[in-house]
Amino acid sequence: MIDWFKNFRNDESGAVTVDWVVLTASVCGLVALAIAGLQGNMSSIGQKVEVFLSSQSINSTF
């Protein structure tokens, strides 16, 4: 049984998968934090874009 634990501890197969899972989870966490930080400002940004776009005119010269 002790040999099995030593072999299990020294076995590195699957380590890359664990690295990718941790990396992906950290990226998802950072995105969630960024969305939470920007959530309150999104309505005011959208209103400013609406005002800007509605004040623009389209010149169609062919």
Side-chain angles (χ1 to χ4, degrees), residues 33-44:
L33 285 173
I35 289 173
L38 293 174
Q39 189 174 10
N41 296 330
M42 294 311 270
S43 62
S44 65

Side-chain angles (χ1 to χ4, degrees), residues 21-45:
V21 168
V22 170
L23 180 65
T24 305
S26 62
V27 168
C28 290
L30 288 173
V31 168
L33 285 173
I35 289 173
L38 293 174
Q39 189 174 10
N41 296 330
M42 294 311 270
S43 62
S44 65
I45 292 172

Side-chain angles (χ1 to χ4, degrees), residues 6-54:
K6 286 180 183 178
N7 288 335
F8 181 75
R9 184 185 66 197
N10 293 330
D11 187 16
E12 292 188 11
S13 62
V16 174
T17 304
V18 173
D19 290 343
W20 276 105
V21 168
V22 170
L23 180 65
T24 305
S26 62
V27 168
C28 290
L30 288 173
V31 168
L33 285 173
I35 289 173
L38 293 174
Q39 189 174 10
N41 296 330
M42 294 311 270
S43 62
S44 65
I45 292 172
Q47 290 170 350
K48 289 178 183 178
V49 169
E50 178 187 6
V51 168
F52 175 77
L53 290 177
S54 63

